[in-house]
Amino acid sequence: MYKPIVAVVGRPNVGKSTLFNKIVGKRISITEDTPGVTRDRIYSEGNWLGRDFILIDTGGLDIKSEDTFMVNIKNQADLAMDTADYILFVVDGKEGLTSLDREIASYLRKTNKEILLVINKFDAKVARENIYEFYELGFEKTFPISSEQGIGIGDLLDEVIKDIPYDEEEEDEESIRVSFIGKPNAGKSSLINYILGEKRVIVTDIPGTTRDSVDSYMTYQDTNYVFVDTAGLRKKKKINEKVERYSVVRTLSAIDRSKICVLIIDATQGVTEQDSKIAGYAHDNHKGLIIAVNKWDLINKDNKTTSQFQQEVRRVLPFLNYAPIVFISAKTGQRVEKLLQMIHLVNNNYNMRIQTGVLNDILNQAVLMNQPPSDKGRRGKLFYGSQVSVRPPRFALFVNDKDLFHFSYVRYLENQIREAFSFDGVPIILDLRNREKMYG
C-alpha cells in the first residue's frame, strides 16, 4: 500500500527533530539547542492508528542565507518537499511569528503542496498568547502542539492519515505494480527497456542514472502490469549528491506501493550488502519477490556455475528462501520471457486462497507427522486454521497456548503448507492465536 511522504520543515531551532522523534517513537534525529544541528534529511516510517507513512526531517531553513552550509540545507529541504504529500511547517509558539517564518511561508506556498502549520511549544503560556500572530500566515490547517509533551500530535496525525485506506484488502488496483530493485548499474533500466521493446528509461554505464521511480505499463497474459524502475541503493559513504540521497526515500515508497518486487543482482559482482538491505525491506513489507541474476551472459560457466551461484544467493539471503531465482541477460534477452512468466505466477500465488477444509487437512497431517512441542508437561495443541487474507496470504492458527509453539515449529507448519501449494515467490504469514481469545 502507498505510504504518504511527510516532510517536516521550518527555521532552525523550532523543535522539528523533537517532533520527528516523538512521531516515529525513537530517537533518530539529533536534538540540540544549537540551530542547524540536523544537517541532512533523515527519514523513518511512522504509524498512526494502523496507517503507515514516511516522515522526513530536514535541517533548519534560512531562505535568504548565502552561506554554503545553509544553501545545502535548503537544497535538501527542496528535494524533500518536492515529493512530499504533506509539509509540516513548524514554528516556535514561544518566540512568536518571525520575519524568517514569513519568508518560509511565502516560499512554501509556491510548492502547491498541502501545508499543515504546526505551532510548537504550546505547553508554554506565552505560546498560547502568541497563537493569533500565526493566523496572518493564512494557512487553513493549524495545529497547536508540544513536541516534548506530545500534546496535540494526535490531531495532527489524524489529518496526515485521513486519506489512507485502513484495510489493504479494500485497495483494488486494475494494474499489478512490479518494482525492479537493486543497487545502481545492475541493469534494471536495461531490463525494462528490453521488455518494453523501446528505450523508455535512460540507460548508461554510470551508476545512479535513474534518479527517481519511473512507471511503464504493459499487458502480459491478459494481466495489466506497471513496471517500476527504481533508483539503485548504494553504500552511504558513496552517496554524495543530494538528489541521490532523496532517491532512497522514493525507492522505499515505490516498494510500498508494489505487490511484487524483482531483485536484480549483477552476476559479475554477486550479492552485495545493498542487495541484502533493499531485499530485506521488501521482505519485511511482505511483498512478492523474485531474484533475477542479470548479466549472466558475461559469466564463464561450467556445469556447476549455476548451482554454485544459487547456493551463494541462498547463503547471503536466507530470508528469501521462498523467492525463485532466474538467470537472465537484459542485453541478449536470455530467459527474460521466463522472468515474465515467473512474475505472472508469483502474482497468482500472491492472491491464492486455500479452502478452510483443505488447509486443516494439511495441518492435521503435519501434526500427525510431527507433534507440537511441550514445556513443563504442557504440550501445544493446534485446533484448526483459517486463511484470513491474501496479498500476502495470511493464516490464523488457533492453539491452546501460542507461547508453547517455538518459531521452528511454526516454520515447519509453513513448509508443510508450501509443499502442498505453490507459494513460490510469496511470503506467507502465520498468526498464532489462543483459542479462548476468539470470543468476546
Side-chain angles (χ1 to χ4, degrees):
M1 180 181 293
Y2 175 66
K3 299 177 184 177
I5 299 173
V6 183
V8 184
V9 177
R11 62 182 174 84
N13 207 28
V14 294
K16 297 185 301 299
S17 295
T18 303
L19 174 62
F20 177 93
N21 292 336
K22 179 67 73 171
I23 292 175
V24 301
K26 49 191 173 183
R27 189 179 175 89
I28 298 176
S29 289
I30 301 171
T31 53
E32 296 181 7
D33 290 334
T34 306
V37 168
T38 306
R39 303 188 178 188
D40 207 344
R41 294 179 322 282
I42 300 173
Y43 63 89
S44 182
E45 289 190 42
N47 179 282
W48 180 247
L49 301 180
R51 276 83 151 190
D52 297 323
F53 52 90
I54 295 175
L55 193 68
I56 308 174
D57 191 18
T58 64
L61 280 176
D62 188 342
I63 301 297
K64 294 183 178 179
S65 174
E66 295 182 359
D67 177 76
T68 302
F69 171 59
M70 190 57 66
V71 170
N72 286 336
I73 288 180
K74 180 178 176 296
N75 290 337
Q76 290 281 353
D78 285 343
L79 291 166
M81 293 185 291
D82 182 53
T83 314
D85 298 286
Y86 296 94
I87 296 175
L88 306 187
F89 176 25
V90 184
V91 294
D92 187 332
K94 288 176 67 175
E95 277 194 47
L97 184 62
T98 69
S99 59
L100 184 52
D101 289 328
R102 292 188 180 93
E103 291 171 7
I104 295 173
S106 178
Y107 186 74
L108 292 180
R109 288 190 192 95
K110 299 175 184 178
T111 65
N112 293 320
K113 297 300 176 71
E114 184 158 1
I115 298 169
L116 310 181
L117 178 63
V118 181
I119 306 174
N120 193 23
K121 307 180 184 179
F122 204 68
D123 51 319
K125 180 180 178 182
V126 65
R128 295 192 289 274
E129 294 171 351
N130 291 335
I131 187 171
Y132 299 104
E133 297 179 8
F134 295 101
Y135 289 132
E136 77 172 68
L137 295 177
F139 293 113
E140 180 182 352
K141 298 178 180 178
T142 302
F143 297 87
I145 71 159
S146 169
S147 295
E148 289 191 354
Q149 304 298 326
I151 299 171
I153 293 179
D155 292 337
L156 174 63
L157 294 180
D158 283 345
E159 181 66 25
V160 169
I161 67 166
K162 64 180 174 53
D163 294 325
I164 308 175
Y166 181 74
D167 188 355
E168 188 169 354
E169 290 275 4
E170 295 176 2
E171 185 181 26
D172 184 20
E173 298 177 353
E174 292 184 2
S175 300
I176 307 302
R177 297 186 69 87
V178 181
S179 282
F180 290 75
I181 61 176
K183 66 184 188 62
N185 212 30
K188 300 184 293 295
S189 300
S190 298
L191 175 59
I192 292 179
N193 284 340
Y194 184 91
I195 293 173
L196 297 174
E198 57 182 292
K199 290 192 175 181
R200 191 172 300 192
V201 183
I202 298 172
V203 179
T204 73
D205 291 332
I206 303 171
T209 302
T210 304
R211 303 285 193 171
D212 209 341
S213 301
V214 180
D215 293 358
S216 301
Y217 298 80
M218 74 166 292
T219 300
Y220 182 78
Q221 294 189 7
D222 297 324
T223 303
N224 296 324
Y225 289 96
V226 180
F227 288 165
V228 184
D229 185 22
T230 64
L233 271 67
R234 63 178 72 195
K235 292 182 179 179
K236 285 186 178 180
K237 65 181 181 181
K238 293 184 179 180
I239 301 177
N240 297 316
E241 298 181 54
K242 310 302 187 287
V243 70
E244 280 195 43
R245 290 185 182 275
Y246 193 64
S247 69
V248 173
V249 178
R250 279 302 228 172
T251 297
L252 301 184
S253 179
I255 292 174
D256 290 333
R257 297 175 63 191
S258 297
K259 295 291 187 291
I260 300 170
C261 293
V262 179
L263 174 65
I264 308 296
I265 294 175
D266 187 333
T268 65
Q269 299 186 23
V271 187
T272 66
E273 180 184 356
Q274 301 99 293
D275 294 325
S276 181
K277 286 183 178 180
I278 191 63
Y281 184 85
H283 168 76
D284 290 342
N285 284 273
H286 311 302
K287 305 300 178 181
L289 269 159
I290 299 167
I291 300 171
V293 182
N294 191 28
K295 306 182 185 180
W296 196 239
D297 55 310
L298 302 180
I299 301 298
N300 294 323
K301 296 175 278 291
D302 57 31
N303 58 358
K304 296 182 180 179
T305 307
T306 301
S307 61
Q308 289 174 345
F309 203 103
Q310 285 179 327
Q311 291 173 11
E312 179 64 10
V313 171
R314 298 302 186 199
R315 184 188 69 81
V316 181
L317 305 174
F319 54 91
L320 294 187
N321 62 330
Y322 57 87
I325 302 174
V326 56
F327 295 84
I328 68 168
S329 168
K331 184 177 181 180
T332 68
Q334 181 184 20
R335 298 191 190 89
V336 171
E337 178 66 24
K338 182 178 180 180
L339 174 61
L340 290 173
Q341 294 171 358
M342 192 64 67
I343 291 172
H344 194 71
L345 172 65
V346 170
N347 178 53
N348 290 336
N349 292 344
Y350 204 56
N351 291 280
M352 183 185 299
R353 188 177 291 275
I354 301 176
Q355 293 181 351
T356 300
V358 176
L359 173 64
N360 283 280
D361 287 343
I362 297 168
L363 295 175
N364 292 335
Q365 184 64 30
V367 170
L368 284 175
M369 293 189 296
N370 184 5
Q371 287 288 317
S374 61
D375 181 45
K376 297 179 181 178
R378 295 188 67 224
R379 180 171 295 279
K381 291 183 180 179
L382 172 59
F383 297 111
Y384 70 95
S386 175
Q387 185 171 355
V388 295
S389 65
V390 296
R391 297 182 304 177
R394 182 185 293 267
F395 302 89
L397 305 184
F398 293 93
V399 300
N400 61 334
D401 185 352
K402 62 184 181 180
D403 292 335
L404 293 174
F405 286 76
H406 191 265
F407 76 89
S408 60
Y409 191 80
V410 177
R411 176 61 58 85
Y412 162 72
L413 294 176
E414 176 185 335
N415 290 337
Q416 295 304 303
I417 295 173
R418 287 189 180 277
E419 283 186 16
F421 288 89
S422 172
F423 278 113
D424 286 349
V426 174
I428 62 177
I429 303 170
L430 302 184
D431 290 330
L432 268 62
R433 303 179 186 179
N434 293 338
R435 191 170 65 169
E436 59 268 24
K437 293 184 179 179
M438 291 169 54
Y439 308 101

